[in-house]
Amino acid sequence: MAKVYNWHLKRKVEYPYEEARPKRQVAWVFDINKCIECQTCTVACKTTWTSGKGQEYMLWNNVETKPYGGYPLGWDINILKMHKEKGNDRTLFEVSPDGEVVLGYLPEDEDYMYPNFGEDVCYGIVEKGAFFNGIHQVWMFYLARICNHCTYPACLAACPRKAIYKRKEDGIVLVDQERCRGYRECVKACPYKKVFFNAFTRVSEKCIACYPLIERGEQPRCVQTCIGKIRLQGFLSHPNNPRPDNPLDYLVYIKKVALPLYPQFGLEPNVYYIPPIHVPKQFLYQMFGGKEMVDRAIKTYLNAKNDRKLLGAMLLFGSTNKIIHRFRVDKNYAYGYDDKGNLISKVPFKEPVYIRPLYDKKRDVYRHSIP
Amino acid sequence: MLKRMALLSIILIGCATVGEKKEIRPSTSAKPSTETYTDRIISVKVDAIPIKDPNSPVWLGAPLTTLNITPQNIITPKQGKGTIKQIKVRSIYTDSELGILITWKDETKDVYDYSDHFCDKVAVQFPLDNKNLPSFMMGNMGGRVHIVEWKAVWQEDVERGYVDINDIYPNYWTDVYWYVNSGEDSVRLEPPRIEEFKDPEAFKFIPAYAARNSDMKIERSWPVMEYSAEGFGTLTPQHRQDAKGWGIYENGEWKVVIVVPRSASDAYNTQIYDKTSVAFAVWDGSNKDRGSRKGYTMWIPLELRK
């Protein structure tokens, strides 16, 4: 195997192919503190891409409740357990068994039968009266998931037919629908279980990052439709050359407020999560790269109210359907610009408040409950 | 003796009704061959090949070759432990075609391909240049091979119609299959089958079909596909599909017939005059065999007995 640099792990890791980063890497930041699991993203994705034969069970985008939920069932527990047994200080490629490219498992049929398993289920029972005594210790949170369009995709590495490719121009990972023969090595290899086998066409399919939208400068459907405005899609620069005016670079590389999911697997995933602040730290350490990364991200997040630039970057979430390539803030607004420098978003730090009189003389009506 | 001949003729007439209209019999000998080999395949001449009848006594006129199967543990992903240890092969030919009957024990009949379930398969490989044999493992760069693959799920497709998602998961249902459900039809008591997809627009929502994946054929004449390859990962469907085949499962055994033209105008096909070589690969779905997770044989000489 080749040695490639993984900036999440800050070391060279094993991968079957040489390092070949795209010109720019498609990436997302999800602020899961704001997610209410309305599944609007899931439905938007479903109706856009997976309404066909054999796609009935597919959820390229899903939102699951942690700690118990997961689609397919127990995807994270299963791979974490396998990884631990092999020594989780090394990546999934570095602990691959003989005859395999990467450590992985093929979910069983039943694992796909319970997409809502554990939904809204808390970690424990809220004892009687606990809610009168301040913040109770029972927790849960929502984890929105799509394909991570990894820098070192396991699906791509495992495909013996080279039917999976990573686009040079934007790093989107795609399954060639003409070339795939349905071996499901990709399904087995992806630790996030975001490649799905279509039993009708007998080939595998996955999230395509809504590339027809991205190619015309628009963010994917799951981002556009998110009513909680928890998502921002853009492009990451090379990890050695972050641009402070690129909102993705700023949140991920510079402020380090958004963290990759299970970076210890070694795939360099490109969906970055602002960790939920109320969840026990040990749980988050396991998910988002360890104590140092999680503690710093939460501290930075909680301080956002005093950090105009960080707050400004986060205000741009869900403010436009277009892809924001550059941003800036001034005293009153955060501004987002497209790749040509056109202003595409302008969000006030403080929403203006209009107080209307109770009685509208012009229309001769009383306004009781209109904000 | 007369009684035995009469019985044999009944069997021969009986088999001729399956798939072929004319009577099929070996031209060289009506008696079952007693020859057995492990290092070569001897093909005997017949009037016609009973493609759809692996149980035809015509096949018994050809010598039996038993071949050991080796688990593919050369490249990743490896098979590990294989479940199919041996295959048995007989071959017959006509002026225009070469037929190969492959039988192997398999306790489980795996037909459908879904989730973590895989179908049973077998493939026969021919070299394009028998004088300079390429790698037995799917050829090599510049050493092209001609591969014919049979799949249990394709057999099902041909015999019973394309295996629909409804056959595997009867209750799978998407609210709307675009350009299929409309008007009164949109309120249904069961999901639509593929036969109800009439509007060409509806097929745009079936990605591999829309992308013209050659393996994804809703209409299929034979349960086999012809490919070319020049090494691992290079399997490429041929534009012209000349091969035929048929498979049956009975008594814990697959019996699969694969037939190729001896002299095809297709430059990607092998040309078989008096001898060639063949190699085999076999997959057990229950063992989660697929792709390179397979059992194989190396090149075996195949001789056409005059």
Side-chain angles (χ1 to χ4, degrees), chain A residues 356-360 362-363 365-371:
Chain A
R356 292 176 178 156
L358 177 65
Y359 178 64
D360 185 335
K362 191 178 171 188
R363 294 176 181 79
V365 291
Y366 285 91
R367 301 183 192 278
H368 289 281
S369 58
I370 297 172

Side-chain angles (χ1 to χ4, degrees), chain A residues 30 39-46 50 58-63 71 143-147 194 196 207 221-223 231:
Chain A
F30 289 1
Q39 306 282 11
T40 309
C41 49
T42 308
V43 173
C45 177
K46 187 85 194 138
T50 57
M58 287 187 201
L59 296 171
W60 292 356
N61 178 108
N62 77 301
V63 188
Y71 186 74
L143 184 69
R145 302 205 304 120
I146 59 171
C147 167
K194 277 296 176 189
F196 299 87
C207 159
R221 293 279 288 141
C222 61
V223 180
R231 300 183 182 211

Side-chain angles (χ1 to χ4, degrees), chain B residues 86-293:
Chain B
Q86 274 188 341
I87 57 170
K88 293 183 186 298
V89 180
R90 293 180 195 268
S91 176
I92 53 181
Y93 71 95
T94 64
D95 289 337
S96 59
E97 292 179 319
L98 176 83
I100 296 176
L101 168 67
I102 311 137
T103 60
W104 71 95
K105 296 270 181 208
D106 186 343
E107 289 176 6
T108 50
K109 182 186 181 188
D110 303 299
V111 174
Y112 293 161
D113 230 357
Y114 65 100
S115 188
D116 60 336
H117 293 67
F118 298 85
C119 74
D120 296 327
K121 296 182 273 184
V122 70
V124 182
Q125 174 181 278
F126 302 91
L128 255 57
D129 179 2
N130 192 44
K131 289 187 179 124
N132 299 296
L133 280 180
S135 165
F136 61 87
M137 193 61 78
M138 297 180 71
N140 49 263
M141 192 76 84
R144 188 170 294 177
V145 292
H146 169 205
I147 293 172
V148 184
E149 184 179 40
W150 170 92
K151 284 189 185 182
V153 68
W154 293 342
Q155 186 71 41
E156 191 81 355
D157 288 345
V158 172
E159 287 192 63
R160 294 184 177 78
Y162 191 82
V163 175
D164 206 321
I165 204 72
N166 316 42
D167 300 317
I168 305 170
Y169 304 104
N171 297 317
Y172 262 31
W173 205 334
T174 290
D175 292 344
V176 175
Y177 293 94
W178 297 106
Y179 299 96
V180 180
N181 314 71
S182 60
E184 292 175 7
D185 220 22
S186 62
V187 180
R188 306 176 57 106
L189 297 176
E190 58 184 28
R193 294 188 65 86
I194 191 62
E195 295 81 26
E196 297 174 54
F197 282 49
K198 306 288 184 200
D199 190 332
E201 288 294 312
F203 288 91
K204 290 182 180 172
F205 294 83
I206 303 175
Y209 186 90
R212 296 177 186 175
N213 186 315
S214 302
D215 283 359
M216 208 268 143
K217 284 185 178 171
I218 292 170
E219 297 289 335
R220 191 180 284 279
S221 306
W222 295 99
V224 293
M225 284 276 289
E226 273 185 304
Y227 300 89
S228 295
E230 286 194 7
F232 300 122
T234 64
L235 196 71
T236 306
Q238 293 191 2
H239 289 297
R240 260 186 59 176
Q241 293 288 321
D242 303 307
K244 301 169 191 168
W246 203 254
I248 61 170
Y249 182 84
E250 54 188 22
N251 306 321
E253 193 174 52
W254 276 113
K255 300 172 183 177
V256 175
V257 173
I258 287 176
V259 176
V260 290
R262 287 179 57 202
S263 179
S265 55
D266 187 343
Y268 297 107
N269 279 12
T270 188
Q271 308 291 316
I272 306 164
Y273 302 113
D274 53 354
K275 61 183 175 184
T276 184
S277 301
V278 288
F280 298 90
V282 63
W283 292 263
D284 176 8
S286 291
N287 195 40
K288 302 205 188 304
D289 290 351
R290 74 277 195 187
S292 61
R293 299 182 199 267

